[in-house]
Amino acid sequence: MSHDLTNRRSRFAVVLSLALFGCGIASGAPAQSASGPEPTTWNSLKGDVFGAKPIQPADGIISIEAPKRAEDAAIVPVELRFKTDAASGRLKAVTLIVDENPSPVAAVFQFGKDAGVTHLATRLRVNAYSYVRAIAETEDGKLHMTETYVKASGGCSAPAMKNQDEALASLGQMKLKVFPSTAAGTEPMTRATEMQLMIRHPNNSGLQMDQVTRYYIPPHFIDGLTITQGDRLIMSMVGGISISEDPNFRFEFNAKPDEEIKVDAADTKGKKFQNEWPIDSSTL
């Protein structure tokens, strides 16, 4: 295991114990101003995740989009966009944090050296009115943060969309969608290709109740993911309970023609899942 990956896993070890307190501790909506409440939780949390390392403003290196008021707290869409030019430095990793979730670190993404990832979207559980933060680490080791405030509650304990038998029957099934490089009235994309990876998995948080037995469903979620093309890394993820059921990742990167995409995933019960797709140059 690489030193970087070890460090990223340790971030979860620091904050995951917060989940023992349950989702209910933060389910109330805090008092707010137009720009959201004071970041009290973040001020007490950031040292546990990043130590004394300074965190700078986004400076255009990273931006975040999420609904101000979520339609469904269990599947809140979040989009990240990155600038990867020579002036800002190569993007090395991004940590995604939901301040008021029982386990605030939702995921840590690491990017391949020449992957050129410029866009990443996924879906999160948001347990209470909360800031959602993205902290980018550039190759020079500097941290840059952006955030948005999302009004949502109960996402960690929301009932699963599928029953457990149905979820287990399709466990680990994957689908990869490649989006066309051209669109009507636009020039062909010359640098990047957009793909969407969908994985069937209940991603149980450990805080959801079985509606039949009335017992809590044990935690069971994807905690490791690696996406490669040929022999190069595109993106890897260390994930937690805040990633929604049936994890979904849409990303844009520097694709190479005629090299297959391979995905390796693992969950907290030690199950491993793998799939690969040939990528024809005509799709890029």
Side-chain angles (χ1 to χ4, degrees):
M1 183 181 295
S2 71
H3 179 67
D4 283 342
L5 186 56
T6 301
N7 286 342
R8 283 161 176 75
R9 287 190 182 279
S10 70
R11 295 179 189 175
F12 284 94
V14 170
V15 297
L16 191 58
S17 61
L18 295 174
L20 295 175
F21 293 102
C23 276
I25 61 172
S27 59
Q32 298 167 54
S33 65
S35 58
E38 289 296 315
T40 305
T41 302
W42 170 244
N43 290 337
S44 64
L45 170 67
K46 61 184 177 182
D48 291 334
V49 184
F50 296 105
K53 198 169 186 179
I55 301 176
Q56 304 175 35
D59 293 335
I61 291 172
I62 184 170
S63 64
I64 188 170
E65 295 179 20
K68 293 184 183 300
R69 185 178 294 276
E71 292 184 9
D72 187 336
I75 46 171
V76 178
V78 174
E79 291 201 38
L80 306 176
R81 297 188 183 277
F82 318 119
K83 183 173 72 175
T84 57
D85 57 27
S88 60
R90 182 182 75 84
L91 187 68
K92 182 179 179 181
V94 169
T95 301
L96 194 55
I97 290 178
V98 186
D99 284 10
E100 305 301 335
N101 274 12
S103 180
V105 179
V108 180
F109 298 93
Q110 186 173 6
F111 304 105
K113 190 169 185 178
D114 63 346
V117 178
T118 56
H119 171 238
L120 172 62
T122 190
R123 305 180 305 187
L124 299 178
R125 295 181 170 113
V126 177
N127 189 59
Y129 285 27
S130 180
Y131 286 101
V132 179
R133 304 177 187 275
I135 299 90
E137 180 183 357
T138 48
E139 198 166 29
D140 58 8
K142 293 180 179 178
L143 301 177
H144 298 265
M145 183 176 74
T146 186
E147 71 280 324
T148 189
Y149 193 70
V150 176
K151 296 179 180 180
S153 60
C156 294
S157 56
M161 292 182 285
K162 302 182 185 70
N163 65 48
Q164 291 301 295
D165 290 340
E166 181 183 355
L168 292 175
S170 59
L171 193 70
Q173 292 180 7
M174 300 183 195
K175 181 178 180 181
L176 184 73
K177 181 177 181 180
V178 181
F179 292 88
S181 300
T182 60
T186 65
E187 292 296 321
M189 292 172 64
T190 58
R191 195 205 62 79
T193 295
E194 193 164 18
M195 298 184 183
Q196 184 176 20
L197 173 66
M198 295 156 276
I199 306 174
R200 292 288 189 187
H201 201 287
N203 256 34
N204 296 131
S205 67
L207 301 163
Q208 300 155 296
M209 184 175 289
D210 187 306
Q211 299 303 301
V212 176
T213 66
R214 309 304 293 173
Y215 290 115
Y216 284 102
I217 301 168
H220 182 201
F221 54 89
I222 297 285
D223 64 348
L225 175 71
T226 303
I227 303 172
T228 55
Q229 186 182 31
D231 59 357
R232 66 185 182 125
L233 173 69
I234 303 304
M235 178 175 74
S236 64
M237 181 200 74
V238 179
I241 67 171
S242 297
I243 299 293
S244 296
E245 180 178 353
D246 292 337
N248 186 312
F249 306 96
R250 184 162 173 164
F251 53 99
E252 188 177 86
F253 72 106
N254 281 339
K256 292 184 178 180
D258 304 317
E259 289 190 4
E260 67 183 18
I261 297 291
K262 182 179 178 182
V263 175
D264 291 277
D267 68 18
T268 52
K269 291 188 176 182
K271 295 184 179 296
K272 299 185 183 300
F273 316 102
Q274 186 182 93
N275 210 332
E276 54 191 50
W277 299 264
I279 302 298
D280 189 278
S281 58
S282 64
T283 66
L284 303 181

